[in-house]
Amino acid sequence: DHYGEQQQQQQHSPQVWQPLEQCLKSSPASHNSDSSSSHIQPLELPNSADLHWFSADANGDNQREAKRHLLRDYLRERQREFTNYSDLLVHCGTWNVNNQFDDSFDLTEWLQPPRDQRAPDIYALGFQELDMSPLSNTMTYITQRSDREEKWIRLCQRCFPSSHCYSIVKTVRLLSTFLLVAAKDSLRNDIHSIRFGTQATGLMGFGPNKGGTAVRFQLGDTQFTFVNCHLAAGEDKLENRYNDFRDIQQKLKLMFEGTAGRYELLSHVGDAVGSHVTFFFGDLNFRLSGVSKEAVEARLFDTERPGAVEELLARHDELRRARAQARYGNIFLSYSEASIDFWPTYKYEIGSQRFDSEKVRVPSWCDRILYRAEDVRCEPLKYRSQHSYVYSDHKPVTCTFNTQVARVDVERQKRTIKRGVQWLDSLENAVLPQCTLEPGHEVQFGELSFSDTYRASLTLRNTGRVSASWQLMPTPGGEFSGVHASPVESRIPIGGSETIMLDATLGPCQWPQAVQRWAAGKADSAFAPGDVLVIALIGGPHIFAVPKGDIVPSCYGLPLACLCRLREPVLKTDRQSFRRLLRDCLESASSSETCS
């Protein structure tokens, strides 16, 4: 009944899957599945035991790898046949507490869900500037725990929804940057493979006054990663914030709980079981730039012109502007952020709702919550700031997410794999990547002069049913004898293409041999017979591109015996007469001494 209901709700699949689906219609396992609503990749790719029949394949490792990729696509199309999903409510919060604490703090508004939402299943709370006292920081280095940390944990537990019991999954602290992750007791036994770590990015690039703390765990067959960070402060430190963000992403090591010396990088998500949902939050310190404090306040308090928040963010927010720049965008674009409709979170006078007037800071949205979902549905429900809190110069921020936990039924998965293997056996040719060269296998450079650079292009188009990875194979000498290509490798999606730019330059190393070929009357004298570009498809056949072109003779590279016999410049000499003269000089010189 469940699969019948999915069939009724089925929508048109994305273009990327259409070539594969045309083949699946005739497959032995053509069940009705909704590929457009698939959320995760399978927990595991088939291991060597499942695909032992590949080991005897006459085409070797490359074809086996291609078949594994196609089987991965097959399983993704049908993963709902062997995967069960359940909803999960995740509550993320961040707060720079500015070294403030009082046991009377009421965190109900920060931690309790709105009335129209049920109690969260997971809490992930990030604190910055938790305890800035020198004694506490010294004790943290010695014990990794502090009294202030314990007080905040008890205060949070006291304000969790009373309708459920919550247990601490993991806490991680880097000096004053603290991450707490808690879960309902009913889920605690399902959480496993807990990893945690820190990355300092502060003073001189490794001081613990700034940096990130992270926790990753697996719930069912879905992984969740929470990263709390405190990036570089200062209105003119955008570059530092970008570097901090990048270092945390690329360098933070997640240690396996209870296993000394075993870790994985935060950026590593594995081939099959990856970090399906990542939450990145904290005092990111991104400011409003190019606008004054007075202008921001005037726009916020102008009740006659709605849309002040979005206008200020769109025009002046550093994070949004960085995402639009190629220089920074690569590291930010993989993350999303819910729409912001609350006032700036920094900087306020402690104990009041007024913006700070002492340091004349431009009000900004420094405290943010970003998220990234890889093949998992993750929807932000409510992104808000607790503006009534006056305990710190920052306002706390929360965002509640509705996501899913996937649980794979192993027996059903094995049956699906078996049907997929049977189907692959009938698609022996379809598993190989297939590409064509446009406009053809010959690359025409025309006539080439000494030392000048000539450009041509080829288009490598993926005409197969799987993505194609390729690389340009060098000649045994390590170079392409005057022809240089860019790029030399890439991965082309189904139906996609890659333009390869080719630059040909005949310099001192190539020109003398080209002159000799021209004198001998050989066609395409600019290139030697071995100057063939070999494009190797990973798991598929090789494609050959042959450069074509003739040289424009000049005085360069000519023997002195030939130059002495010329009565006029080379370019004004009859081509055929000059070719005979040059050939005679070369043959005469070769009989007595070398041409060099």
Side-chain angles (χ1 to χ4, degrees), residues 20 79 89 318 322 351 353 389 591 596:
L20 183 61
Q79 62 188 14
L89 211 58
E318 286 183 339
Q353 300 284 9
Y389 282 35
S591 64
S596 60

Side-chain angles (χ1 to χ4, degrees), residues 17-29:
W17 297 115
Q18 286 181 357
L20 183 61
E21 283 195 338
Q22 293 170 4
C23 303
L24 296 180
K25 290 178 181 178
S26 61
S27 70

Side-chain angles (χ1 to χ4, degrees), residues 481-503:
S481 299
V483 181
H484 301 273
S486 178
V488 296
E489 61 180 359
S490 73
R491 187 178 184 87
I492 307 175
I494 301 172
S497 63
E498 180 74 65
T499 298
I500 306 172
M501 302 306 299
L502 302 174
D503 291 334

Side-chain angles (χ1 to χ4, degrees), residues 514-583:
V515 168
Q516 293 182 36
R517 290 191 294 269
W518 183 85
K522 295 182 179 179
D524 301 307
S525 60
F527 303 100
D531 294 344
V532 177
L533 305 180
V534 182
I535 300 173
L537 297 182
I538 307 302
H542 289 359
I543 300 175
F544 302 94
V546 182
K548 297 286 186 177
D550 241 327
I551 67 168
V552 177
S554 64
C555 61
Y556 295 106
L558 300 184
L560 289 177
C562 178
L563 290 171
C564 291
R565 288 173 169 79
L566 290 176
R567 299 182 179 275
E568 56 186 347
V570 173
L571 294 180
K572 292 185 178 181
T573 304
D574 177 69
R575 286 278 184 100
Q576 294 303 323
S577 300
F578 175 64
R579 191 192 301 267
R580 287 194 298 270
L581 172 61
L582 177 58
R583 183 167 57 244

Side-chain angles (χ1 to χ4, degrees), residues 380-426:
L381 300 180
K382 186 65 177 177
Y383 194 19
R384 57 197 176 113
S385 170
Q386 286 64 45
H387 199 71
S388 61
Y389 282 35
V390 296
Y391 310 128
S392 168
D393 58 351
H394 286 254
K395 301 298 183 183
V397 175
T398 59
C399 190
T400 306
F401 297 89
N402 184 22
T403 185
Q404 289 185 315
V405 176
R407 290 179 171 84
V408 172
D409 186 313
V410 177
E411 292 302 319
R412 283 158 51 193
Q413 184 189 41
K414 287 182 177 179
R415 290 196 294 268
T416 304
I417 291 174
K418 184 177 179 180
R419 291 194 298 268
V421 169
Q422 294 170 348
W423 167 70
L424 276 177
D425 197 33
S426 65

Side-chain angles (χ1 to χ4, degrees), residues 9 107 159 194 222 236 273 296 353 407 417 438 541 562 567:
Q9 299 176 355
L107 305 184
C159 296
I194 299 174
T222 305
D236 59 343
V273 181
V296 173
Q353 300 284 9
R407 290 179 171 84
I417 291 174
E438 299 174 0
C562 178
R567 299 182 179 275

